[in-house]
Amino acid sequence: MICGRSNKQKNQTCFTLSNVCWMREFPRIQPNKDQTSLLHLAALHGLEGIVKLLLKRGVSPTVKDKLHWTPLIYAHWGESCDQIPDGCLLALLEADPNQLGKLMDLMNASGHETIITRLMKSLATKPQARKFVNTFLASNEGHRFEIIEWFAAFPGLLDHSNKVSVFRRSIGGIASDYFQVVATKDSEFVSAFNQMNRILSFSRPPIVSATFDNSIGTGPGVTREFWDNLSRDMIKPQYGVFAPFGSPPSYFSANDNNTSTTEPLFFAPDKAPVASQVFFELSDNEIETTMSALLMKFVGKLCALAILNHQLLPGLESLSPHCFRLLVQETISLEWKDFETLDASLFKSWEWLLNLNDSSELEAAELTFAVDETKFGKSRHGGGGGGGGGGGGGKEKTVVTKALAGHEVEDCVTMENREEFVQLSAKNHVRRFRYKIVAFREGFTQIIPRKILQILEPTDLELLLCGMPIINIRDWKKATIYESYSSGGDSSSKDETLRDWFWSIIEQDMSEADRVLVLKFSTGMSRTPPGGGVGGGGNGSWIFKIAFTGALSVNLPSASTCFNLIKIPNYVSKEQMREKLFLAIRHGSTGFSFC
């Protein structure tokens, strides 16, 4: 007997499956004909105690039914239908961790792609199961590489260290030979381009060592100094490669090499000028190519080469996270909501337009489908075999008015077509950077293939290139202000409890990579602003906001990156807050859609 019931009662409990939702999807499966064991059925119904008892008494956790399905798959279907906690899944995984690797073989052999894929995605959303999977993979590096790579294809399942491990193993052996760069201080980017661009175009990527002219110093320390200096030199305005979003032509002035802006850097416009006094050596077939596009492609190559050489580019921490996302994702696209962290005023104007309820306000605004576009002067090159420099920095800007795609300049924005206007406006802004983005992607994937790159999420790539930031939690707390939208007499006490839970999770339950994700989710950046202080709201200061919304505890945390704000619902326990917070930060690069 089980749980004090007779065999007849037990059979009624375990074998009455007509009320189980998966039977509607799989009517072929019948317990008496398909070799389903008692462990299968206990897992299906979420009977965690019975599952553990059967496992303890020696029932194999990998026993198969007629379709070669194990109890682990049954447990997943029971949970997905009835919202049963993940105790059965975890018990079955702990009983035989090796069945994780067998799932891929089962999917390939049986053709049950859908059910296995759903199971793997489910594991990614369950904190305990996810932790178990990552611990198992990290402690068993002898697994077949294709299995680990398969795991990496499921978003949110592998943690940062496991993904980096898979990535590193994938790129092993790409670099070959050795090359020494002789760099000029404060002009490392020019030195690297003139000495390495042709080599990277026609040869396998090398292991790079570096020294500086007029210096006898060599060795790993000097090479690290070169890469560090290079990362800060390549973002200078004079190269026309990166710039704050919406920068005027004056930003690229040859005399303005100040890179201390606190604004995140994005790709410079396609026609951004390159300072005329900078000398780059060009081959004959490069003379007709836009100089800034050539430099952008070379930057992509350098980023990939730095990873192959196990070198960091800390200067790139000032880049907008969208730069890394546009490199990793399949297509080049930015939605209008992405502009919240690129151009806050532009984002707010679109948000205002979409939230309008009164058509008279829209009519008074007199918006049309016309846009003004600033034209930069074209880059000029020196001809012949010698080489050339950038050019165009001295040309005056011109402003041209044009219509958005599919419309005329005089077409008015109405309540009916305002969404189309916002979408077309966002696409038009992206179009100004498209060739730069394409060049950056082409340069990177020329060194590291896109198939390998797709193992990583944008934040993983950022941490690989820039290094793991050390987040000072004490300063983070000092920079935080709290807002409350809760109601009720005990709201102040409950808010204080929620605040304590939040910081306890940050300090005790999160790795450094998890804290980075919290900042990314809430602020759009993986670090606090470069050089900025905290608190107070003054110049150079940074403020983080936590709002206690009083929303139902079934909701996920949400965020408004414009205001460095994370919104916390009214969770009933620290465990619930931890689960919801991890789910939000791991499955949403930004907080726009998590409401």
Side-chain angles (χ1 to χ4, degrees), residues 6-168:
S6 67
N7 287 336
K8 181 178 180 181
Q9 290 173 319
K10 174 191 70 177
N11 291 336
Q12 287 176 341
T13 300
C14 294
F15 289 95
T16 303
L17 299 177
S18 60
N19 62 334
V20 179
C21 65
W22 68 266
M23 286 296 290
R24 294 196 295 270
E25 296 190 42
F26 298 93
R28 296 183 299 104
I29 298 178
Q30 301 175 33
N32 295 328
K33 297 181 180 180
D34 292 318
Q35 303 168 18
T36 46
S37 69
L38 187 58
L39 184 59
H40 282 96
L41 298 168
L44 175 68
H45 284 286
L47 304 176
E48 183 179 344
I50 296 178
V51 167
K52 290 182 176 180
L53 177 62
L54 291 171
L55 291 171
K56 186 176 181 180
R57 293 191 174 185
V59 178
S60 172
T62 58
V63 60
K64 298 175 182 177
D65 67 4
K66 188 176 181 179
L67 295 176
H68 300 282
W69 287 10
T70 62
L72 186 68
I73 299 176
Y74 276 62
H76 162 62
W77 272 105
E79 290 178 340
S80 62
C81 293
D82 300 324
Q83 301 299 314
I84 300 170
D86 58 346
C88 287
L89 268 178
L90 198 60
L92 291 164
L93 284 173
E94 290 175 341
D96 184 4
N98 289 313
Q99 62 184 306
L100 286 168
K102 297 174 183 177
L103 288 173
M104 184 185 75
D105 297 330
L106 176 63
M107 184 174 77
N108 293 336
S110 65
H112 295 303
E113 294 89 352
T114 301
I115 179 67
I116 303 297
T117 299
R118 287 180 180 175
L119 170 59
M120 298 303 293
K121 289 182 177 179
S122 174
L123 293 178
T125 64
K126 301 177 182 299
Q128 286 184 304
R130 182 183 183 274
K131 182 178 180 180
F132 178 85
V133 168
N134 280 281
T135 302
F136 170 70
L137 291 177
S139 59
N140 292 271
E141 294 185 357
H143 278 296
R144 299 203 324 265
F145 173 70
E146 59 268 24
I147 293 178
I148 301 176
E149 190 176 26
W150 179 66
F151 273 72
F154 297 97
L157 180 58
L158 297 191
D159 59 23
H160 174 71
S161 60
N162 269 321
K163 280 186 283 187
V164 170
S165 176
V166 175
F167 180 78
R168 286 288 183 195

Side-chain angles (χ1 to χ4, degrees), residues 23 55 77 83 90 106 141 215 240 251 265 277 357 377-379 447 490 566:
M23 286 296 290
L55 291 171
W77 272 105
Q83 301 299 314
L90 198 60
L106 176 63
E141 294 185 357
S215 172
Y251 177 84
L265 301 178
Q277 88 279 12
N357 295 318
K378 290 185 178 180
S379 296
I447 306 295
D490 62 343
I566 186 169

Side-chain angles (χ1 to χ4, degrees), residues 289-482:
T289 307
T290 303
M291 188 66 210
S292 60
L294 280 176
L295 297 183
M296 190 77 256
K297 187 173 183 177
F298 183 65
V299 168
K301 294 176 184 178
L302 285 178
C303 289
L305 191 62
I307 292 175
L308 292 181
N309 280 260
H310 293 264
Q311 298 290 344
L312 296 177
L313 298 173
L316 299 190
E317 68 181 18
S318 58
L319 296 187
S320 164
H322 292 300
C323 294
F324 303 102
R325 182 164 69 85
L326 288 167
L327 177 56
V328 171
Q329 68 185 18
E330 279 285 347
T331 59
I332 298 174
S333 64
L334 286 174
E335 300 299 327
W336 74 269
K337 288 186 176 182
D338 295 327
F339 284 78
E340 183 176 12
T341 52
L342 288 174
D343 189 325
S345 61
L346 184 61
F347 169 79
K348 289 177 182 177
S349 67
W350 288 339
E351 189 177 44
W352 168 83
L353 175 60
L354 294 175
N355 290 334
L356 271 181
N357 295 318
D358 189 351
S359 60
S360 62
E361 290 187 57
L362 181 54
E363 293 171 2
E366 298 182 343
L367 293 176
T368 68
F369 279 79
V371 290
D372 291 334
E373 205 169 82
T374 301
K375 298 288 186 179
F376 291 87
K378 290 185 178 180
S379 296
R380 298 188 299 269
H381 306 99
K395 273 197 172 184
E396 294 183 0
K397 66 177 180 179
T398 58
V399 178
V400 177
T401 300
K402 57 178 290 185
L404 294 173
H407 287 271
E408 302 295 332
V409 171
E410 62 273 9
D411 288 352
C412 293
V413 179
T414 65
M415 298 292 280
E416 290 72 28
N417 64 22
R418 56 183 175 172
E419 289 187 15
E420 180 189 10
F421 170 77
V422 170
Q423 291 170 356
L424 289 175
S425 297
K427 288 183 179 179
N428 183 65
H429 278 283
V430 176
R431 187 178 59 83
R432 297 189 294 117
F433 308 93
R434 187 171 185 85
Y435 291 115
K436 281 280 181 62
I437 298 171
V438 168
F440 185 55
R441 288 159 59 97
E442 285 183 351
F444 192 99
T445 54
Q446 184 176 322
I447 306 295
I448 298 178
R450 175 158 298 281
K451 181 182 178 181
I452 298 177
L453 178 61
Q454 289 173 339
I455 294 172
L456 303 176
E457 298 292 328
T459 301
D460 299 315
L461 178 61
E462 182 180 354
L463 296 179
L464 262 179
L465 280 170
C466 305
M468 184 73 70
I470 304 300
I471 298 172
N472 189 313
I473 298 177
R474 183 176 62 180
D475 286 348
W476 189 358
K477 283 184 176 181
K478 288 181 180 178
T480 302
I481 60 176
Y482 304 91

